[in-house]
Amino acid sequence: MSLLRSWVESANADGSEFPIQNLPCGVFDDGQGARMGVAIGDFVLDVGRVAHGLDPALFALPEWNAVMAAGPSVWAALRARLTALLSDDGHRAAVEPHLVPMKGLRLLMPFRVIEYTDFYAGKNHAVNVGTMFRGAENALPPNWLSIPIGYNGRASSVVVSGTPVRRPWGQVKGPDEAMPRFAPSARFDLELEMGAIVGQPSEGMVSVAEADDMIFGYVLLNDWSARDIQAWEYQPLGPFQAKATATTISPWIVTRAALEPFRVSTPERERPLLPYLRETGPMLYDIGLEVALAPEDGRESVIARTNYREIYYSAAQQLAHHTSSGCSMRVGDLLGSGTISGPVKESRGSLLELSWGGKEPLTLETGEERRFLEDGDTLVLRGAAMGNGYRIGFGDCAGQILPAAPLPDWARE
């Protein structure tokens, strides 16, 4: 079978992130107002102008929530129509005027985040962190192999790629300090994750298969983390301010439909899962991931490469577990996968692991060393699923670290 191609020539170029097989969903502003679009090659198609036959109300607001709420049949119909419009040259004259060059556009939040939950579902990451703090014999908590561990985060923390991230202030306390102090985080870090976007609501418990059907698509996600703030605050209830500074996502939602050819099984289980968490088929995806770090005015260094298939609990399992208490899920809920680390040092998804808690500094291509992030550093997450003759990309998930804000006089000692 020949590979489907688009009359948008840049979509067929080697290495294009946005071939016709992708058609990811985003929101853009070209100076004429924010609108919904899909990426195709070097362009964005203004979807509201060409989605004939679908309810115009779905495209009234610059966010994909209404389309998600309309359900899988609408998702499939829209994808089929866009594929036809962009592959059949007979539609070119009508569609081409609604293509906007991607260069110079502002890419905005692609959807309105309703709730945000972050999981801790990467086994290699959990083992590495546990080994650092509790020793290899107690690396995993007793419940880890049975349950997707997570915490409820702040939807207000989620920002789109390109948004600067300011170094947070917080309470910190060193092991030799008698009392805590209020200071800018000195151990600010990244976490390489994927984010799953809930496209259908739930009432009551759902199965893993039903949860999979509820997911509209995926984004890259950087769960910025202040390790020194977290170390002091996390007992007994887990992360709080250490994770509330920002959560950066990529600007394009890659739909579940685009990722179907790349399904893979979760890792082999070391302990049988309870029935409500068991999968009916492959629920993960083969998506290559990388982390790049560029010092201010310096060249970029790729510091880690891994794959989404390393996650121990799929997004569908995480979502099913989330509903198991009767917790209702809503359209626009975001689930962070947890840090995705591979089995070797070069595949670790955080500086905490790459520098082993700061004891083994990382050397960049500029010759500079990093234990944790410094002001001016730019972090970029990238990811792509590789097909036969095409790739499904997510766009960059990037953010630059700004210095901590000046402390108000009333907060000083």
Side-chain angles (χ1 to χ4, degrees):
M1 182 182 293
S2 60
L3 182 67
L4 184 65
R5 296 173 70 83
S6 173
W7 49 260
V8 180
E9 286 303 319
S10 59
N12 307 319
D14 289 344
S16 173
E17 285 199 287
F18 307 122
I20 196 166
Q21 290 81 6
N22 194 348
L23 303 180
C25 306
V27 172
F28 71 98
D29 188 346
D30 58 355
Q32 301 182 38
R35 282 122 55 213
M36 297 163 62
V38 296
I40 179 73
D42 295 335
F43 296 87
V44 179
L45 177 62
D46 188 339
V47 176
R49 300 295 184 92
V50 299
H52 308 304
L54 294 176
D55 184 354
L58 299 178
F59 310 98
L61 295 176
E63 57 186 36
W64 282 85
N65 296 61
V67 171
M68 292 191 287
S73 62
V74 171
W75 309 347
L78 178 59
R79 182 174 174 82
R81 173 160 180 78
L82 294 175
T83 299
L85 291 176
L86 292 166
S87 61
D88 184 346
D89 196 66
H91 295 295
R92 182 170 187 163
V95 174
E96 199 164 30
H98 305 301
L99 289 175
V100 183
M102 195 174 296
K103 187 175 181 180
L105 291 181
R106 285 182 62 221
L107 296 177
L108 308 175
M109 278 291 295
F111 70 108
R112 179 164 39 92
V113 181
I114 304 302
E115 306 280 1
Y116 168 50
T117 302
D118 190 41
F119 284 86
Y120 186 56
K123 185 183 175 190
N124 293 309
H125 173 72
V127 168
N128 287 338
V129 173
T131 299
M132 267 184 257
F133 295 105
R134 294 186 298 274
E137 66 283 357
N138 295 308
L140 289 178
N143 61 353
W144 200 94
L145 294 172
S146 294
I147 187 172
I149 297 172
Y151 70 94
N152 289 312
R154 293 283 300 171
S156 63
S157 76
V158 183
V159 297
V160 73
S161 176
T163 305
V165 175
R166 193 169 288 282
R167 183 179 299 276
W169 287 84
Q171 279 201 30
V172 296
K173 179 185 176 298
D176 299 325
E177 294 178 303
M179 294 293 291
R181 53 195 168 82
F182 197 61
S185 172
R187 294 164 68 91
F188 201 43
D189 199 0
L190 74 130
E191 288 193 345
L192 168 62
E193 303 192 21
M194 296 288 297
I197 300 164
V198 177
Q200 287 288 277
S202 70
E203 291 293 337
M205 187 176 182
V206 302
S207 69
V208 173
E210 290 169 330
D212 188 56
D213 289 340
M214 290 168 58
I215 296 172
F216 178 69
Y218 293 80
V219 291
L220 304 177
L221 186 150
N222 185 351
D223 178 30
W224 304 93
S225 300
R227 304 298 185 186
D228 41 1
I229 297 172
Q230 185 175 357
W232 171 238
E233 75 173 7
Y234 84 102
Q235 294 186 27
L237 295 181
F240 183 38
Q241 293 296 82
K243 302 278 193 172
T245 301
T247 303
T248 302
I249 64 169
S250 51
W252 298 106
I253 304 170
V254 175
T255 63
R256 186 165 54 87
L259 292 172
E260 281 300 311
F262 307 99
R263 282 188 180 266
V264 293
S265 297
T266 48
E268 185 177 350
R269 302 295 169 194
E270 298 171 44
R271 179 189 298 169
L273 295 178
L274 295 176
Y276 81 99
L277 284 174
R278 292 175 192 163
E279 302 151 296
T280 56
M283 293 290 178
L284 274 183
Y285 301 96
D286 182 1
I287 301 172
L289 302 166
E290 72 174 34
V291 181
L293 190 158
E296 192 168 20
D297 300 323
R299 69 178 182 273
E300 183 181 279
S301 301
V302 174
I303 60 174
R305 288 188 174 93
T306 186
N307 194 293
Y308 183 41
R309 69 190 306 163
E310 296 287 347
I311 282 291
Y312 195 80
Y313 296 101
S314 69
Q317 288 173 307
Q318 294 170 0
L319 179 52
H321 180 66
H322 215 321
T323 70
S324 64
S325 65
C327 173
S328 298
M329 304 303 293
R330 301 188 226 174
V331 174
D333 283 355
L334 174 65
L335 307 182
S337 64
T339 305
I340 307 166
S341 294
V344 297
K345 182 174 182 178
E346 295 75 18
S347 62
R348 297 172 182 170
S350 68
L351 278 171
L352 178 68
E353 297 167 88
L354 287 165
S355 72
W356 206 249
K359 296 176 183 177
E360 302 172 7
L362 189 71
T363 302
L364 307 180
E365 291 185 12
T366 59
E368 299 174 65
E369 291 186 342
R370 287 292 183 277
R371 289 174 170 82
F372 292 95
L373 297 173
E374 297 188 5
D375 293 347
D377 286 349
T378 295
L379 259 294
V380 185
L381 311 184
R382 299 188 178 98
M386 304 303 295
N388 185 13
Y390 67 96
R391 70 199 302 258
I392 302 295
F394 290 76
D396 287 357
C397 177
Q400 185 180 36
I401 309 300
L402 302 181
L407 192 64
D409 289 340
W410 49 261
R412 299 177 186 274
E413 291 190 18

Coordinates of all heavy atoms in Angstrom, one line a residue, residues 170-232:
G170 N 10.6 29.3 48.2 CA 9.9 28.3 49.0 C 10.7 28.0 50.3 O 11.8 28.5 50.5
Q171 N 10.0 27.3 51.2 CA 10.7 26.9 52.4 C 11.7 25.7 52.1 O 11.3 24.7 51.5 CB 9.7 26.4 53.5 CG 9.1 27.5 54.3 CD 8.5 27.0 55.6 OE1 9.0 26.0 56.2 NE2 7.5 27.6 56.0
V172 N 12.9 25.9 52.5 CA 13.9 24.8 52.4 C 14.7 24.6 53.7 O 14.7 25.6 54.5 CB 15.0 25.2 51.3 CG1 14.3 25.3 49.9 CG2 15.7 26.5 51.6
K173 N 15.2 23.4 53.9 CA 15.9 23.2 55.1 C 17.0 22.1 54.8 O 16.6 21.0 54.4 CB 15.0 22.6 56.2 CG 15.7 22.3 57.6 CD 14.8 21.7 58.6 CE 15.5 21.3 59.8 NZ 16.5 20.2 59.6
G174 N 18.2 22.5 55.0 CA 19.3 21.5 54.8 C 19.4 20.6 56.0 O 18.9 20.8 57.1
P175 N 20.1 19.4 55.8 CA 20.2 18.4 56.8 C 20.9 18.9 58.1 O 20.7 18.4 59.2 CB 21.0 17.3 56.2 CG 21.7 17.9 55.0 CD 20.8 19.0 54.5
D176 N 21.8 20.0 57.9 CA 22.5 20.5 59.1 C 21.9 21.8 59.6 O 22.5 22.4 60.5 CB 24.0 20.8 58.6 CG 24.7 19.5 58.2 OD1 24.4 18.4 58.8 OD2 25.5 19.6 57.3
E177 N 20.8 22.2 59.1 CA 20.1 23.4 59.6 C 19.1 23.1 60.6 O 18.3 22.1 60.5 CB 19.5 24.1 58.4 CG 20.5 24.7 57.4 CD 19.8 25.3 56.2 OE1 19.0 24.7 55.5 OE2 20.1 26.5 55.9
A178 N 19.0 23.9 61.7 CA 18.1 23.6 62.7 C 16.7 24.0 62.4 O 15.7 23.4 62.8 CB 18.5 24.4 64.0
M179 N 16.5 25.1 61.5 CA 15.2 25.6 61.2 C 15.2 25.9 59.7 O 16.2 26.1 59.0 CB 14.9 26.9 61.9 CG 14.8 26.7 63.4 SD 13.3 25.7 63.9 CE 12.0 26.9 63.5
P180 N 14.0 25.9 59.1 CA 13.9 26.2 57.7 C 14.1 27.6 57.4 O 14.0 28.5 58.3 CB 12.4 25.8 57.3 CG 11.7 25.9 58.6 CD 12.6 25.6 59.7
R181 N 14.4 27.9 56.1 CA 14.5 29.3 55.7 C 13.7 29.5 54.4 O 13.4 28.5 53.7 CB 16.0 29.7 55.5 CG 16.7 28.8 54.6 CD 18.2 28.9 54.7 NE 18.9 27.8 54.0 CZ 19.1 27.7 52.7 NH1 18.7 28.7 51.9 NH2 19.7 26.7 52.2
F182 N 13.4 30.7 54.0 CA 12.7 31.0 52.8 C 13.7 31.5 51.8 O 14.4 32.5 52.0 CB 11.6 32.1 53.1 CG 10.6 32.2 52.0 CD1 9.8 31.1 51.7 CD2 10.4 33.3 51.3 CE1 8.8 31.2 50.8 CE2 9.4 33.4 50.3 CZ 8.6 32.3 50.1
A183 N 13.8 30.8 50.6 CA 14.9 31.1 49.7 C 14.4 30.6 48.3 O 13.5 29.7 48.1 CB 16.1 30.4 50.1
P184 N 15.1 31.1 47.2 CA 14.8 30.6 45.9 C 15.3 29.2 45.8 O 16.3 28.8 46.4 CB 15.6 31.5 45.0 CG 15.9 32.8 45.8 CD 16.0 32.3 47.2
S185 N 14.6 28.3 45.1 CA 15.0 27.0 44.9 C 16.4 26.9 44.3 O 16.7 27.5 43.2 CB 14.0 26.2 44.1 OG 14.5 24.9 43.8
A186 N 17.3 26.2 44.9 CA 18.7 26.0 44.4 C 18.8 24.6 43.6 O 19.8 24.3 43.0 CB 19.7 26.0 45.5
R187 N 17.7 23.8 43.7 CA 17.7 22.5 43.0 C 16.5 22.4 42.1 O 15.7 21.4 42.3 CB 17.8 21.4 44.1 CG 19.1 21.4 44.9 CD 19.0 20.6 46.2 NE 18.8 19.1 46.0 CZ 19.8 18.3 45.9 NH1 21.1 18.7 45.9 NH2 19.6 17.0 45.7
F188 N 16.4 23.3 41.2 CA 15.2 23.3 40.3 C 15.5 22.4 39.2 O 16.6 22.3 38.7 CB 15.0 24.8 39.8 CG 13.6 25.0 39.3 CD1 12.5 24.6 39.9 CD2 13.5 25.7 38.1 CE1 11.2 24.8 39.5 CE2 12.2 26.0 37.6 CZ 11.1 25.5 38.3
D189 N 14.5 21.6 38.8 CA 14.7 20.5 37.9 C 13.5 20.4 36.9 O 12.5 21.0 37.0 CB 14.7 19.2 38.8 CG 15.4 18.0 38.1 OD1 15.8 18.1 36.9 OD2 15.4 17.0 38.7
L190 N 13.8 19.5 35.9 CA 12.7 19.2 34.9 C 12.3 17.7 35.2 O 13.0 17.0 35.9 CB 13.3 19.2 33.5 CG 14.3 18.0 33.2 CD1 13.9 17.4 31.9 CD2 15.7 18.5 33.2
E191 N 11.1 17.4 34.6 CA 10.7 16.0 34.6 C 10.1 15.7 33.2 O 9.1 16.4 32.8 CB 9.7 15.6 35.7 CG 10.3 15.6 37.1 CD 9.4 15.0 38.1 OE1 8.2 14.8 37.9 OE2 10.0 14.6 39.2
L192 N 10.7 14.8 32.5 CA 10.2 14.4 31.1 C 9.0 13.5 31.3 O 9.1 12.4 31.8 CB 11.3 13.7 30.4 CG 11.0 13.0 29.1 CD1 10.4 14.0 28.1 CD2 12.2 12.3 28.5
E193 N 7.8 14.0 30.8 CA 6.6 13.2 30.9 C 5.8 13.3 29.6 O 6.1 14.2 28.8 CB 5.8 13.7 32.1 CG 6.5 13.7 33.4 CD 5.5 13.9 34.6 OE1 4.3 13.6 34.4 OE2 6.0 14.3 35.7
M194 N 4.8 12.5 29.5 CA 3.7 12.7 28.5 C 2.5 13.0 29.3 O 2.3 12.6 30.4 CB 3.5 11.4 27.8 CG 4.7 10.9 26.9 SD 4.9 11.9 25.4 CE 3.4 11.6 24.5
G195 N 1.6 13.8 28.6 CA 0.3 14.1 29.2 C -0.8 13.6 28.4 O -0.8 13.7 27.2
A196 N -1.8 12.9 29.0 CA -3.0 12.4 28.4 C -4.1 13.3 28.6 O -4.3 13.7 29.8 CB -3.3 11.0 28.9
I197 N -4.9 13.6 27.6 CA -6.0 14.6 27.7 C -7.3 13.8 27.7 O -7.6 13.1 26.7 CB -5.9 15.6 26.6 CG1 -4.6 16.4 26.7 CG2 -7.1 16.6 26.7 CD1 -4.2 17.2 25.5
V198 N -8.1 14.0 28.7 CA -9.4 13.3 28.8 C -10.4 14.0 27.9 O -10.6 15.2 28.1 CB -9.9 13.3 30.3 CG1 -11.3 12.6 30.3 CG2 -8.9 12.5 31.1
G199 N -11.0 13.3 27.0 CA -11.9 13.9 26.0 C -13.4 13.6 26.3 O -14.3 14.1 25.6
Q200 N -13.6 12.7 27.2 CA -15.0 12.3 27.6 C -15.2 12.2 29.1 O -14.3 11.8 29.8 CB -15.4 11.0 26.9 CG -15.6 11.0 25.4 CD -16.9 11.8 25.0 OE1 -18.0 11.2 25.0 NE2 -16.7 13.1 24.7
P201 N -16.3 12.6 29.6 CA -16.5 12.6 31.0 C -16.9 11.2 31.5 O -17.2 10.3 30.7 CB -17.7 13.5 31.2 CG -18.5 13.4 30.0 CD -17.5 13.2 28.9
S202 N -16.8 11.0 32.8 CA -17.2 9.7 33.4 C -18.0 10.0 34.7 O -17.9 11.0 35.3 CB -16.0 8.9 33.8 OG -15.3 9.5 34.9
E203 N -18.9 9.1 35.0 CA -19.6 9.0 36.2 C -19.5 7.6 36.8 O -20.0 6.7 36.2 CB -21.1 9.4 36.0 CG -21.4 10.8 35.6 CD -21.1 11.8 36.7 OE1 -21.1 11.4 37.8 OE2 -20.8 13.0 36.3
G204 N -18.8 7.5 37.8 CA -18.5 6.2 38.4 C -17.3 5.5 37.8 O -16.6 6.1 36.9
M205 N -17.1 4.3 38.1 CA -15.9 3.5 37.8 C -16.0 3.1 36.3 O -17.0 2.7 35.7 CB -15.8 2.3 38.6 CG -14.6 1.5 38.5 SD -14.6 0.1 39.7 CE -13.1 -0.7 39.4
V206 N -14.8 3.2 35.6 CA -14.7 2.8 34.2 C -13.6 1.7 34.1 O -12.7 1.7 34.9 CB -14.5 3.9 33.2 CG1 -15.6 5.0 33.3 CG2 -13.1 4.5 33.4
S207 N -13.7 0.9 33.1 CA -12.7 -0.1 32.8 C -11.5 0.5 32.1 O -11.6 1.6 31.6 CB -13.2 -1.3 32.0 OG -13.5 -0.8 30.7
V208 N -10.4 -0.2 32.1 CA -9.2 0.3 31.3 C -9.5 0.5 29.9 O -9.1 1.5 29.3 CB -8.0 -0.7 31.5 CG1 -6.9 -0.3 30.6 CG2 -7.6 -0.8 33.0
A209 N -10.3 -0.4 29.3 CA -10.7 -0.3 27.9 C -11.6 0.9 27.7 O -11.4 1.7 26.7 CB -11.4 -1.5 27.4
E210 N -12.5 1.2 28.6 CA -13.4 2.4 28.5 C -12.5 3.6 28.7 O -12.7 4.7 28.0 CB -14.5 2.3 29.5 CG -15.5 1.2 29.2 CD -16.5 1.0 30.4 OE1 -16.0 1.2 31.6 OE2 -17.6 0.6 30.1
A211 N -11.6 3.6 29.6 CA -10.7 4.7 29.8 C -9.9 5.1 28.6 O -9.7 6.2 28.3 CB -9.8 4.4 31.0
D212 N -9.4 4.0 27.9 CA -8.6 4.3 26.7 C -9.5 5.0 25.7 O -9.0 5.9 25.0 CB -8.1 2.9 26.2 CG -7.2 3.1 25.0 OD1 -6.2 3.8 25.2 OD2 -7.5 2.5 23.9
D213 N -10.7 4.6 25.5 CA -11.6 5.3 24.6 C -11.9 6.7 25.0 O -12.3 7.5 24.1 CB -12.9 4.5 24.5 CG -12.8 3.2 23.8 OD1 -11.8 3.0 23.0 OD2 -13.7 2.3 24.0
M214 N -11.8 7.1 26.2 CA -12.1 8.4 26.7 C -10.9 9.4 26.4 O -11.2 10.6 26.4 CB -12.3 8.4 28.2 CG -13.6 7.8 28.7 SD -13.6 7.5 30.5 CE -13.3 9.2 31.1
I215 N -9.8 8.9 26.1 CA -8.6 9.8 25.9 C -8.6 10.4 24.5 O -8.7 9.6 23.5 CB -7.3 9.0 26.1 CG1 -7.2 8.6 27.6 CG2 -6.1 9.9 25.7 CD1 -6.1 7.7 27.9
F216 N -8.6 11.7 24.4 CA -8.6 12.4 23.1 C -7.2 12.4 22.4 O -7.1 12.2 21.2 CB -9.1 13.8 23.3 CG -9.1 14.6 22.0 CD1 -10.0 14.3 21.0 CD2 -8.2 15.7 21.8 CE1 -10.0 15.1 19.8 CE2 -8.2 16.4 20.7 CZ -9.1 16.2 19.6
G217 N -6.2 12.6 23.2 CA -4.9 12.7 22.6 C -3.8 13.0 23.7 O -4.1 12.9 24.9
Y218 N -2.6 13.2 23.2 CA -1.4 13.3 24.1 C -0.6 14.5 23.8 O -0.5 15.0 22.6 CB -0.6 12.1 23.9 CG -1.2 10.8 24.4 CD1 -2.2 10.1 23.7 CD2 -0.9 10.3 25.7 CE1 -2.8 9.0 24.2 CE2 -1.5 9.1 26.2 CZ -2.5 8.5 25.4 OH -3.1 7.3 25.9
V219 N 0.1 15.0 24.8 CA 1.1 16.1 24.7 C 2.4 15.7 25.4 O 2.4 14.9 26.2 CB 0.5 17.5 25.3 CG1 -0.6 18.0 24.4 CG2 0.1 17.3 26.7
L220 N 3.5 16.4 25.0 CA 4.7 16.3 25.9 C 4.4 17.2 27.1 O 3.7 18.2 27.0 CB 5.9 16.8 25.1 CG 6.2 16.2 23.8 CD1 7.4 16.9 23.1 CD2 6.5 14.7 24.0
L221 N 5.0 16.8 28.2 CA 4.8 17.5 29.5 C 6.1 17.6 30.3 O 6.7 16.6 30.5 CB 3.7 16.8 30.3 CG 3.1 17.5 31.5 CD1 1.7 17.1 31.7 CD2 3.9 17.0 32.8
N222 N 6.4 18.8 30.7 CA 7.5 19.0 31.7 C 7.0 19.4 33.0 O 6.4 20.5 33.2 CB 8.5 20.1 31.1 CG 9.7 20.3 32.0 OD1 9.8 19.7 33.0 ND2 10.7 21.1 31.5
D223 N 7.1 18.5 34.0 CA 6.7 18.8 35.3 C 7.8 19.4 36.1 O 8.6 18.7 36.8 CB 6.2 17.5 36.0 CG 5.7 17.6 37.4 OD1 5.3 18.7 37.7 OD2 5.9 16.7 38.2
W224 N 8.0 20.7 36.0 CA 9.1 21.4 36.7 C 9.0 21.1 38.2 O 7.9 21.2 38.8 CB 9.0 22.9 36.4 CG 9.0 23.3 35.0 CD1 7.9 23.6 34.2 CD2 10.1 23.6 34.2 NE1 8.3 23.9 33.0 CE2 9.6 24.0 32.9 CE3 11.5 23.6 34.4 CZ2 10.5 24.4 31.9 CZ3 12.3 23.9 33.4 CH2 11.8 24.3 32.1
S225 N 10.1 20.9 38.8 CA 10.1 20.4 40.2 C 11.3 21.1 41.0 O 12.4 21.0 40.6 CB 10.3 18.9 40.2 OG 9.3 18.2 39.6
A226 N 10.9 21.6 42.1 CA 11.9 22.2 43.0 C 12.3 21.2 44.1 O 11.5 21.0 45.1 CB 11.3 23.5 43.7
R227 N 13.4 20.5 43.9 CA 13.7 19.3 44.7 C 14.0 19.7 46.1 O 13.7 18.9 47.1 CB 15.0 18.6 44.1 CG 14.8 18.2 42.7 CD 13.7 17.2 42.5 NE 13.7 16.7 41.1 CZ 12.8 15.9 40.6 NH1 11.8 15.5 41.4 NH2 12.8 15.5 39.4
D228 N 14.6 20.9 46.4 CA 14.9 21.2 47.8 C 13.6 21.6 48.5 O 13.5 21.3 49.7 CB 15.9 22.3 47.9 CG 15.7 23.4 46.8 OD1 14.8 23.4 46.0 OD2 16.6 24.4 46.8
I229 N 12.7 22.3 47.9 CA 11.4 22.6 48.5 C 10.6 21.3 48.8 O 10.1 21.1 49.8 CB 10.6 23.6 47.6 CG1 11.3 24.9 47.5 CG2 9.2 23.8 48.2 CD1 10.7 25.8 46.4
Q230 N 10.7 20.4 47.8 CA 10.0 19.1 47.9 C 10.5 18.3 49.1 O 9.7 17.7 49.9 CB 10.1 18.3 46.6 CG 9.3 17.0 46.6 CD 9.3 16.4 45.3 OE1 9.9 16.9 44.3 NE2 8.7 15.2 45.2
A231 N 11.8 18.3 49.3 CA 12.4 17.5 50.3 C 11.9 17.9 51.7 O 11.8 17.0 52.6 CB 14.0 17.6 50.3
W232 N 11.7 19.2 51.9 CA 11.2 19.6 53.2 C 9.7 19.5 53.4 O 9.2 19.2 54.5 CB 11.7 21.1 53.4 CG 11.1 21.8 54.6 CD1 10.4 23.0 54.6 CD2 11.3 21.5 56.0 NE1 10.1 23.4 55.9 CE2 10.6 22.4 56.8 CE3 11.9 20.4 56.7 CZ2 10.6 22.4 58.2 CZ3 11.9 20.4 58.0 CH2 11.2 21.4 58.8

